[in-house]
Amino acid sequence: MRKISVIIANRHSTSICLEDEFYDELKKIANEKNISINALVTEIDATRENENLSSAIRVYILKHLLYYAD
């Protein structure tokens, strides 16, 4: 489990806990989109339905992987 500090919308600092495998995928998605991890987390935060940001990130990664697996 990795604890990562992020800044949401260039103004709100927080930390998230993700397993290494999820963190690696988060970095890959950010690289694919050519944006920073902070920008990707901001995007996920803006559209999340889950109260927990770390859980919302895991769901986002899962949906991303499932979408591109087809």
Side-chain angles (χ1 to χ4, degrees):
M1 188 70 74
R2 182 183 294 221
K3 190 170 190 173
I4 306 131
S5 295
V6 294
I7 300 173
I8 299 172
N10 293 323
R11 58 179 158 67
H12 177 73
S13 181
T14 191
S15 49
I16 55 174
C17 289
L18 293 174
E19 294 78 6
D20 289 338
E21 295 84 358
F22 281 104
Y23 182 66
D24 291 343
E25 288 302 320
L26 185 68
K27 289 191 304 186
K28 286 180 188 176
I29 295 168
N31 284 336
E32 287 171 12
K33 295 180 128 203
N34 202 29
I35 60 175
S36 68
I37 288 177
N38 287 337
L40 181 54
V41 171
T42 296
E43 181 183 309
I44 295 167
D45 182 60
T47 59
R48 71 177 157 145
E49 297 174 9
N50 191 311
E51 298 249 347
N52 182 288
L53 181 57
S54 295
S55 293
I57 292 169
R58 287 184 192 93
V59 170
Y60 177 90
I61 291 168
L62 177 62
K63 287 180 178 180
H64 178 85
L65 291 172
L66 291 172
Y67 178 81
Y68 286 103
D70 292 338

